[in-house]
Amino acid sequence: MTDLLLNERIRARMVRLVDGDRQIGVIPTYEALTRARKQGLDLVMVATGDPPVCRILDADRFRYEQKRAEREQARRQREMTIETKEIQLRP
């Protein structure tokens, strides 16, 4: 898992802002950060691009859900692998 870019660590001038399920549009980073702070949440960069996509959400909860999804994916991968065993027979 890569480290998330949060709040002031986002260096882009303009970001595409998503607030919950609503797409706000392309706005300056400082304005997006102000909106996030008014709600008591974090501004998190979720996708790079031109402009990068940022969401207003609780960063700790987002990290927790990402780790949980990665663990679930790893568990499913382990279940899908076929383990072959070998035995030796002698007369």
Side-chain angles (χ1 to χ4, degrees), residues 4-7 41-44 56-66:
L4 297 175
L5 287 178
L6 303 172
N7 301 329
L41 298 172
D42 299 303
L43 184 65
V44 179
I56 295 177
L57 46 82
D58 183 13
D60 294 329
R61 182 174 177 212
F62 184 69
R63 280 187 189 119
Y64 170 75
E65 288 174 355
Q66 272 190 330

